[in-house]
Amino acid sequence: MAGHLYDEGHTIAGWSGVAVATVGVSLMGVGVCAVSVPALVGGGVVAALGLLVTWGLHLAGWGKPPGKRPRAEWGMRVRDPGAREGHPGCVGCRLAGRGRTAGTALSVPGPTVAGDGTGMEVRGAAVVAGGSHADVGRGAS
């Protein structure tokens, strides 16, 4: 694979989660063939456990974010040094409370009376996004 810059899914977290989910889906298949509700439910639980295994290992550093990495980080047994801070754009990291940046407020309370320069006043208006080019509307958006 010369020139290969991406190694999506080639991680301990990815392969472990797939293995557990495969066992669960196989158990569900047996449940369908045997017409067994307990096997279907048990297989569904095991398949969902595969998701939790993948997520836990990813947060422990055994999963990597998508994208380009140096060749030294391509190996499956290489832990991700940035896992504790969270990966940008990673849903799993955001669900765990990682990788969040301190953002600014989307809307700020504005004056109770706002004018647009035409002599008309809007009561109960809120200024959204602040600044010199602020939008004035009815309530925060």
Side-chain angles (χ1 to χ4, degrees), residues 12-25 27-28 40-58:
I12 299 289
W15 283 105
S16 299
V18 166
V20 172
T22 300
V23 170
V25 171
L27 185 58
M28 289 177 72
L40 282 170
V41 172
V45 168
V46 173
L49 185 63
L51 177 69
L52 294 176
V53 165
T54 303
W55 186 34
L57 287 171
H58 172 78

Side-chain angles (χ1 to χ4, degrees), residues 11 14 23 25 37 40 60 65 67 74 83 94 98 100 106 128 130 133 137 140:
T11 64
V23 170
V25 171
V37 174
L40 282 170
W74 286 5
R94 279 187 282 150
R98 297 180 181 178
R100 296 183 184 196
L106 293 177
V128 179
H133 295 81

Side-chain angles (χ1 to χ4, degrees), residues 32-126:
V32 167
C33 293
V35 190
S36 171
V37 174
L40 282 170
V41 172
V45 168
V46 173
L49 185 63
L51 177 69
L52 294 176
V53 165
T54 303
W55 186 34
L57 287 171
H58 172 78
L59 294 175
W62 291 109
K64 299 173 192 166
K68 297 181 180 182
R69 275 179 290 287
R71 189 167 186 88
E73 294 180 14
W74 286 5
M76 208 167 119
R77 294 184 189 106
V78 177
R79 284 185 91 166
D80 181 19
R84 289 212 183 264
E85 293 83 30
H87 304 113
C90 177
V91 175
C93 289
R94 279 187 282 150
L95 286 173
R98 297 180 181 178
R100 296 183 184 196
T101 57
T104 58
L106 293 177
S107 60
V108 293
T112 56
V113 177
D116 60 356
T118 63
M120 300 295 293
E121 294 180 348
V122 180
R123 297 192 187 279

